[in-house]
Amino acid sequence: MFRLFALVSVWLLTLGCGPDAPVPVPLPPAATPAPAPVGTRRFLALGDSYTIGQGVPAADRWGVQLAWLAQAEGLRKPDIIARTGWTTEQLREAIVAANPPASYELVSLMIGVNNQFQGLPLAEYRNDFRELLHMAIRLAGGRPGRVLVLSIPDWGQSRVGRSHAQASISQEINQFNAAARQECTAAGVAFLDITDLTRTTGYDPAQFAPDGLHYSGLHMQQWAIRALPVVRRLVQ
């Protein structure tokens, strides 16, 4: 009986291995989620000393810190067109000279403190700022929703600012920021107020660069953290 069972088993196996038997197909490996894009979104930062991070290492610049926080969104470290002391007119001239491509996924703009410091007219600032805003939109591929404007810090609350008329500085900064906000609203551009953060430094040395006027990486980190949810919405 056992011999008969063995012969039948061999016969069945032979039938299964014949030329017409289906050949097993290996299953494909399980799909894995695609990694987040790395450095796929170009970022251009326009401005003055606050954008270039006067007095601090490059890694401490607010825009660089923002790019680090927004790695999951694929934001690159920013290209920067900024210099200490620049007014709106000087920034506009620098952008024209640099002629950057109109292909950025995010463009930030932070300008005006030197207009205020030099006593330049508010009306002149508004006109220049409006032109800079249109330039920023063009550099963002014509998309207002990819432009972010940061308000002007209140340097009167810095350690150096203590020797100036603080109330007057704050009032003028408010006027310049109000003009910028109005222009952003008209153009459909996001406006981020960080001025309040600069008014709570309490002259703490840790909040300032060594010159006592510009801001430390620790302080500018607050700007980047506040900008992060806005940027996530803009580039989604």
Side-chain angles (χ1 to χ4, degrees):
M1 185 68 179
F2 175 78
R3 180 181 178 83
L4 177 61
F5 178 79
L7 288 172
V8 171
S9 298
V10 170
W11 176 71
L12 290 174
L13 288 173
T14 303
L15 286 178
C17 295
D20 296 327
V23 178
V25 178
L27 294 174
T32 55
V38 177
T40 56
R41 292 190 168 110
R42 301 184 66 200
F43 173 20
L44 175 64
L46 307 172
D48 49 38
S49 57
Y50 297 132
T51 296
I52 200 67
Q54 177 67 34
V56 301
D60 285 347
R61 294 166 176 165
W62 82 266
V64 175
Q65 295 195 63
L66 172 62
W68 186 86
L69 291 172
Q71 289 181 85
E73 287 69 35
L75 198 65
R76 291 187 187 181
K77 287 195 298 185
D79 297 331
I80 296 176
I81 301 178
R83 184 171 297 176
T84 298
W86 273 358
T87 62
T88 46
E89 181 180 1
Q90 290 168 313
L91 176 58
R92 178 176 54 80
E93 292 173 350
I95 295 172
V96 171
N99 192 28
S103 58
Y104 286 92
E105 295 296 320
L106 179 69
V107 179
S108 69
L109 176 62
M110 188 181 195
I111 191 71
V113 69
N114 294 298
N115 292 63
Q116 182 274 327
F117 178 77
Q118 295 179 28
L120 300 179
L122 178 61
E124 178 181 305
Y125 169 74
R126 181 188 287 273
N127 290 334
D128 286 352
F129 182 83
R130 184 184 301 128
E131 185 173 353
L132 285 169
L133 207 53
H134 291 313
M135 295 175 81
I137 292 170
R138 180 182 62 80
L139 293 172
R143 298 168 293 182
R146 292 298 178 92
V147 177
L148 173 65
V149 170
L150 273 68
S151 65
I152 303 169
D154 187 349
W155 66 274
Q157 303 299 318
S158 68
R159 289 186 290 147
V160 170
R162 284 183 292 182
S163 60
H164 295 72
Q166 295 177 349
S168 176
I169 293 170
S170 294
Q171 182 179 10
E172 291 176 5
I173 292 292
N174 288 343
Q175 293 170 350
F176 276 68
N177 280 332
R181 184 189 290 273
Q182 290 166 2
E183 294 300 325
C184 287
T185 299
V189 167
F191 181 87
L192 182 68
D193 190 351
I194 55 87
T195 308
D196 62 322
L197 296 174
T198 68
R199 287 173 172 163
T200 59
T201 53
Y203 312 124
D204 177 7
Q207 302 293 316
F208 295 94
D211 62 10
L213 175 61
H214 296 94
Y215 297 95
S216 66
L218 179 66
H219 179 80
M220 286 189 286
Q221 184 182 67
Q222 298 178 65
W223 305 355
I225 290 172
R226 181 170 287 187
L228 182 60
V230 179
V231 168
R232 282 177 170 160
R233 174 174 55 83
L234 295 181
V235 302
Q236 66 182 3

